[in-house]
Amino acid sequence: MGLRFALVAALEEELRTLLAALQSPVTEHHAGRAFHRGRLDGHEVVLVRSGIGKVAAATTALLLADRYGVDALVFTGVAGALQPAASIGDVVVARELLQHDMDASPLFPRHEVPLTGRSHFPTDADLSDALARAARDALEAERIGLDSSFAALGIDRPRVHEGLVVSGDRFVATSLERTALRTELPDALAVEMEGAAVAQVCLDCDLPFAVLRTLSDCADDSAHVDFGRFVAEVAGPLGAAIVRTWLRRVEPA
Ligand code: SAH
């Protein structure tokens, strides 16, 4: 039997393109979520929308590890950019994740997940390498298809970044909050609401995982692109193209 991959996103629009391509789909419901099993690009996959936030993401990741026995998990979606060099439309592949709202100080150091001894949770190196390669190649290839959407949103030439992604149960949308995050965590590339929770569960379950995010906003109060439109027209199709570029290259086990 080949490997089984879990493909997870927080929002419906983020998963839509992958779901449309799923072959022989079978849908099962657990814990209020729809798990779509099927085949994609020659592999057995499970597609699921986790919902937004750390608890929703953790619940979903545990079900995928425990009930579905997946061999690897890839989380895709959108995130807010935290570095001046990272622009809307760029892609971020997480190398490590941290919960920016974790604070059990003074009992434990700021950001440390109590009793784990860590604040930074690494992603799987090989999986992240492969996804970053797929992202670079897909951005070249897919630009043709997404050019008009990119242009309409004022996106020039998307790039791929790799590094720290931070998560918390808060949509970061003020300059004040963005500055506070940047001061506390100067290395953070992007902020979202699920990745670090998935990381903690996957570490507990010894499940290789990766997190891939398209930057949808600058996590500040600047007038940004229409979020819903961006996710549906750019981030969803782009994330799906990257994941499928990666899947096609994975040797059937
Ligand atoms: N307006 C959306 C809500 C999206 S919540 C709706 O009505 O559906 C934000 C989602 O996008 C989360 O899943 C989170 O992971 C990601 N995200 C994008 N930009 C973010 C930001 N600036 N801060 C936190 N999460 C962000």
Side-chain angles (χ1 to χ4, degrees), residues 1-5 37 39 42-46 68-71 251-253:
M1 214 185 74
L3 297 174
R4 180 186 276 186
F5 298 114
R37 291 193 288 113
R39 292 190 69 78
H43 297 281
E44 202 184 330
V45 297
V46 185
Y68 284 92
V70 297
D71 299 292
E251 293 286 331

PDB file of all heavy atoms in Angstrom, residues 1-5 37 39 42-46 68-71 251-253:
ATOM      1  N   MET A   1       0.830  -1.192   0.000  1.00  0.00           N
ATOM      2  CA  MET A   1       0.000   0.000   0.000  1.00  0.00           C
ATOM      3  C   MET A   1       0.870   1.249   0.000  1.00  0.00           C
ATOM      4  O   MET A   1       1.912   1.277   0.639  1.00  0.00           O
ATOM      5  CB  MET A   1      -0.918  -0.024   1.218  1.00  0.00           C
ATOM      6  CG  MET A   1      -2.275   0.603   0.928  1.00  0.00           C
ATOM      7  SD  MET A   1      -3.308   0.711   2.399  1.00  0.00           S
ATOM      8  CE  MET A   1      -2.536   2.042   3.294  1.00  0.00           C
ATOM      9  N   GLY A   2       0.428   2.254  -0.744  1.00  0.00           N
ATOM     10  CA  GLY A   2       1.213   3.487  -0.827  1.00  0.00           C
ATOM     11  C   GLY A   2       1.041   4.355   0.399  1.00  0.00           C
ATOM     12  O   GLY A   2       0.364   3.973   1.349  1.00  0.00           O
ATOM     13  N   LEU A   3       1.664   5.493   0.335  1.00  0.00           N
ATOM     14  CA  LEU A   3       1.552   6.450   1.431  1.00  0.00           C
ATOM     15  C   LEU A   3       0.208   7.147   1.358  1.00  0.00           C
ATOM     16  O   LEU A   3      -0.355   7.331   0.279  1.00  0.00           O
ATOM     17  CB  LEU A   3       2.666   7.489   1.339  1.00  0.00           C
ATOM     18  CG  LEU A   3       4.088   6.963   1.471  1.00  0.00           C
ATOM     19  CD1 LEU A   3       5.091   8.075   1.216  1.00  0.00           C
ATOM     20  CD2 LEU A   3       4.298   6.351   2.847  1.00  0.00           C
ATOM     21  N   ARG A   4      -0.283   7.525   2.503  1.00  0.00           N
ATOM     22  CA  ARG A   4      -1.529   8.296   2.537  1.00  0.00           C
ATOM     23  C   ARG A   4      -1.217   9.692   3.090  1.00  0.00           C
ATOM     24  O   ARG A   4      -0.631   9.828   4.157  1.00  0.00           O
ATOM     25  CB  ARG A   4      -2.548   7.588   3.431  1.00  0.00           C
ATOM     26  CG  ARG A   4      -3.868   8.331   3.503  1.00  0.00           C
ATOM     27  CD  ARG A   4      -4.793   7.693   4.510  1.00  0.00           C
ATOM     28  NE  ARG A   4      -5.515   6.577   3.949  1.00  0.00           N
ATOM     29  CZ  ARG A   4      -6.486   5.934   4.614  1.00  0.00           C
ATOM     30  NH1 ARG A   4      -6.795   6.276   5.846  1.00  0.00           N
ATOM     31  NH2 ARG A   4      -7.116   4.936   4.051  1.00  0.00           N
ATOM     32  N   PHE A   5      -1.614  10.709   2.320  1.00  0.00           N
ATOM     33  CA  PHE A   5      -1.316  12.085   2.718  1.00  0.00           C
ATOM     34  C   PHE A   5      -2.577  12.821   3.153  1.00  0.00           C
ATOM     35  O   PHE A   5      -3.615  12.703   2.501  1.00  0.00           O
ATOM     36  CB  PHE A   5      -0.686  12.856   1.558  1.00  0.00           C
ATOM     37  CG  PHE A   5       0.629  12.294   1.109  1.00  0.00           C
ATOM     38  CD1 PHE A   5       0.768  11.735  -0.158  1.00  0.00           C
ATOM     39  CD2 PHE A   5       1.729  12.310   1.952  1.00  0.00           C
ATOM     40  CE1 PHE A   5       1.978  11.207  -0.573  1.00  0.00           C
ATOM     41  CE2 PHE A   5       2.949  11.776   1.545  1.00  0.00           C
ATOM     42  CZ  PHE A   5       3.061  11.229   0.279  1.00  0.00           C
ATOM     43  N   ARG A  37     -11.930  11.268   1.524  1.00  0.00           N
ATOM     44  CA  ARG A  37     -10.878  10.344   1.078  1.00  0.00           C
ATOM     45  C   ARG A  37     -10.974  10.191  -0.426  1.00  0.00           C
ATOM     46  O   ARG A  37     -12.061  10.278  -1.004  1.00  0.00           O
ATOM     47  CB  ARG A  37     -11.054   8.973   1.731  1.00  0.00           C
ATOM     48  CG  ARG A  37     -10.779   8.967   3.218  1.00  0.00           C
ATOM     49  CD  ARG A  37     -10.666   7.560   3.757  1.00  0.00           C
ATOM     50  NE  ARG A  37     -11.972   6.874   3.799  1.00  0.00           N
ATOM     51  CZ  ARG A  37     -12.280   5.833   3.049  1.00  0.00           C
ATOM     52  NH1 ARG A  37     -11.421   5.336   2.166  1.00  0.00           N
ATOM     53  NH2 ARG A  37     -13.477   5.285   3.165  1.00  0.00           N
ATOM     54  N   ARG A  39      -8.334   9.772  -4.360  1.00  0.00           N
ATOM     55  CA  ARG A  39      -6.996   9.747  -4.959  1.00  0.00           C
ATOM     56  C   ARG A  39      -6.729  11.066  -5.667  1.00  0.00           C
ATOM     57  O   ARG A  39      -7.623  11.676  -6.244  1.00  0.00           O
ATOM     58  CB  ARG A  39      -6.878   8.578  -5.949  1.00  0.00           C
ATOM     59  CG  ARG A  39      -6.922   7.225  -5.252  1.00  0.00           C
ATOM     60  CD  ARG A  39      -6.552   6.094  -6.192  1.00  0.00           C
ATOM     61  NE  ARG A  39      -5.151   6.105  -6.590  1.00  0.00           N
ATOM     62  CZ  ARG A  39      -4.164   5.664  -5.814  1.00  0.00           C
ATOM     63  NH1 ARG A  39      -4.415   5.198  -4.613  1.00  0.00           N
ATOM     64  NH2 ARG A  39      -2.921   5.691  -6.257  1.00  0.00           N
ATOM     65  N   GLY A  42      -2.190  10.234  -8.278  1.00  0.00           N
ATOM     66  CA  GLY A  42      -1.586   8.913  -8.054  1.00  0.00           C
ATOM     67  C   GLY A  42      -1.403   8.535  -6.598  1.00  0.00           C
ATOM     68  O   GLY A  42      -0.807   7.499  -6.295  1.00  0.00           O
ATOM     69  N   HIS A  43      -1.905   9.356  -5.678  1.00  0.00           N
ATOM     70  CA  HIS A  43      -1.738   9.047  -4.255  1.00  0.00           C
ATOM     71  C   HIS A  43      -3.077   9.001  -3.534  1.00  0.00           C
ATOM     72  O   HIS A  43      -4.030   9.666  -3.928  1.00  0.00           O
ATOM     73  CB  HIS A  43      -0.859  10.100  -3.583  1.00  0.00           C
ATOM     74  CG  HIS A  43       0.521  10.149  -4.128  1.00  0.00           C
ATOM     75  ND1 HIS A  43       1.496   9.251  -3.775  1.00  0.00           N
ATOM     76  CD2 HIS A  43       1.070  10.969  -5.052  1.00  0.00           C
ATOM     77  CE1 HIS A  43       2.601   9.527  -4.439  1.00  0.00           C
ATOM     78  NE2 HIS A  43       2.374  10.558  -5.231  1.00  0.00           N
ATOM     79  N   GLU A  44      -3.057   8.232  -2.459  1.00  0.00           N
ATOM     80  CA  GLU A  44      -4.214   8.196  -1.584  1.00  0.00           C
ATOM     81  C   GLU A  44      -4.144   9.431  -0.679  1.00  0.00           C
ATOM     82  O   GLU A  44      -3.094   9.683  -0.055  1.00  0.00           O
ATOM     83  CB  GLU A  44      -4.144   6.918  -0.743  1.00  0.00           C
ATOM     84  CG  GLU A  44      -5.461   6.473  -0.196  1.00  0.00           C
ATOM     85  CD  GLU A  44      -5.296   5.252   0.697  1.00  0.00           C
ATOM     86  OE1 GLU A  44      -4.370   4.460   0.450  1.00  0.00           O
ATOM     87  OE2 GLU A  44      -6.073   5.141   1.647  1.00  0.00           O
ATOM     88  N   VAL A  45      -5.237  10.204  -0.634  1.00  0.00           N
ATOM     89  CA  VAL A  45      -5.218  11.429   0.179  1.00  0.00           C
ATOM     90  C   VAL A  45      -6.488  11.543   1.029  1.00  0.00           C
ATOM     91  O   VAL A  45      -7.508  10.912   0.728  1.00  0.00           O
ATOM     92  CB  VAL A  45      -5.088  12.708  -0.697  1.00  0.00           C
ATOM     93  CG1 VAL A  45      -3.773  12.740  -1.455  1.00  0.00           C
ATOM     94  CG2 VAL A  45      -6.264  12.839  -1.661  1.00  0.00           C
ATOM     95  N   VAL A  46      -6.400  12.332   2.067  1.00  0.00           N
ATOM     96  CA  VAL A  46      -7.574  12.721   2.858  1.00  0.00           C
ATOM     97  C   VAL A  46      -7.582  14.246   2.890  1.00  0.00           C
ATOM     98  O   VAL A  46      -6.614  14.865   3.328  1.00  0.00           O
ATOM     99  CB  VAL A  46      -7.498  12.204   4.315  1.00  0.00           C
ATOM    100  CG1 VAL A  46      -8.794  12.531   5.051  1.00  0.00           C
ATOM    101  CG2 VAL A  46      -7.222  10.726   4.355  1.00  0.00           C
ATOM    102  N   TYR A  68      -7.131   8.158  10.865  1.00  0.00           N
ATOM    103  CA  TYR A  68      -6.821   7.914   9.453  1.00  0.00           C
ATOM    104  C   TYR A  68      -5.420   7.361   9.244  1.00  0.00           C
ATOM    105  O   TYR A  68      -5.099   6.900   8.146  1.00  0.00           O
ATOM    106  CB  TYR A  68      -7.046   9.187   8.632  1.00  0.00           C
ATOM    107  CG  TYR A  68      -8.516   9.423   8.408  1.00  0.00           C
ATOM    108  CD1 TYR A  68      -9.256  10.212   9.279  1.00  0.00           C
ATOM    109  CD2 TYR A  68      -9.173   8.789   7.367  1.00  0.00           C
ATOM    110  CE1 TYR A  68     -10.620  10.383   9.100  1.00  0.00           C
ATOM    111  CE2 TYR A  68     -10.534   8.956   7.174  1.00  0.00           C
ATOM    112  CZ  TYR A  68     -11.252   9.753   8.050  1.00  0.00           C
ATOM    113  OH  TYR A  68     -12.600   9.909   7.867  1.00  0.00           O
ATOM    114  N   GLY A  69      -4.584   7.395  10.255  1.00  0.00           N
ATOM    115  CA  GLY A  69      -3.240   6.841  10.140  1.00  0.00           C
ATOM    116  C   GLY A  69      -2.463   7.377   8.949  1.00  0.00           C
ATOM    117  O   GLY A  69      -1.755   6.637   8.264  1.00  0.00           O
ATOM    118  N   VAL A  70      -2.599   8.675   8.682  1.00  0.00           N
ATOM    119  CA  VAL A  70      -1.898   9.238   7.526  1.00  0.00           C
ATOM    120  C   VAL A  70      -0.384   9.198   7.767  1.00  0.00           C
ATOM    121  O   VAL A  70       0.081   9.148   8.904  1.00  0.00           O
ATOM    122  CB  VAL A  70      -2.352  10.684   7.212  1.00  0.00           C
ATOM    123  CG1 VAL A  70      -3.833  10.708   6.837  1.00  0.00           C
ATOM    124  CG2 VAL A  70      -2.063  11.626   8.374  1.00  0.00           C
ATOM    125  N   ASP A  71       0.370   9.215   6.664  1.00  0.00           N
ATOM    126  CA  ASP A  71       1.832   9.130   6.756  1.00  0.00           C
ATOM    127  C   ASP A  71       2.490  10.504   6.793  1.00  0.00           C
ATOM    128  O   ASP A  71       3.642  10.637   7.202  1.00  0.00           O
ATOM    129  CB  ASP A  71       2.371   8.332   5.569  1.00  0.00           C
ATOM    130  CG  ASP A  71       1.820   6.914   5.577  1.00  0.00           C
ATOM    131  OD1 ASP A  71       2.205   6.157   6.492  1.00  0.00           O
ATOM    132  OD2 ASP A  71       0.989   6.578   4.718  1.00  0.00           O
ATOM    133  N   GLU A 251       7.338   9.599  -5.233  1.00  0.00           N
ATOM    134  CA  GLU A 251       7.325   8.218  -5.731  1.00  0.00           C
ATOM    135  C   GLU A 251       6.257   7.433  -4.982  1.00  0.00           C
ATOM    136  O   GLU A 251       6.198   7.507  -3.750  1.00  0.00           O
ATOM    137  CB  GLU A 251       8.678   7.548  -5.443  1.00  0.00           C
ATOM    138  CG  GLU A 251       9.838   8.131  -6.218  1.00  0.00           C
ATOM    139  CD  GLU A 251       9.816   7.712  -7.676  1.00  0.00           C
ATOM    140  OE1 GLU A 251       9.308   6.615  -7.954  1.00  0.00           O
ATOM    141  OE2 GLU A 251      10.297   8.500  -8.523  1.00  0.00           O
ATOM    142  N   PRO A 252       5.427   6.668  -5.707  1.00  0.00           N
ATOM    143  CA  PRO A 252       4.497   5.793  -4.981  1.00  0.00           C
ATOM    144  C   PRO A 252       5.316   4.794  -4.158  1.00  0.00           C
ATOM    145  O   PRO A 252       6.275   4.237  -4.681  1.00  0.00           O
ATOM    146  CB  PRO A 252       3.729   5.083  -6.096  1.00  0.00           C
ATOM    147  CG  PRO A 252       4.031   5.844  -7.344  1.00  0.00           C
ATOM    148  CD  PRO A 252       5.352   6.511  -7.154  1.00  0.00           C
ATOM    149  N   ALA A 253       4.981   4.640  -2.879  1.00  0.00           N
ATOM    150  CA  ALA A 253       5.783   3.760  -1.998  1.00  0.00           C
ATOM    151  C   ALA A 253       5.543   2.297  -2.348  1.00  0.00           C
ATOM    152  O   ALA A 253       4.485   1.949  -2.848  1.00  0.00           O
ATOM    153  CB  ALA A 253       5.432   4.000  -0.553  1.00  0.00           C
TER     154      ALA A 253
END
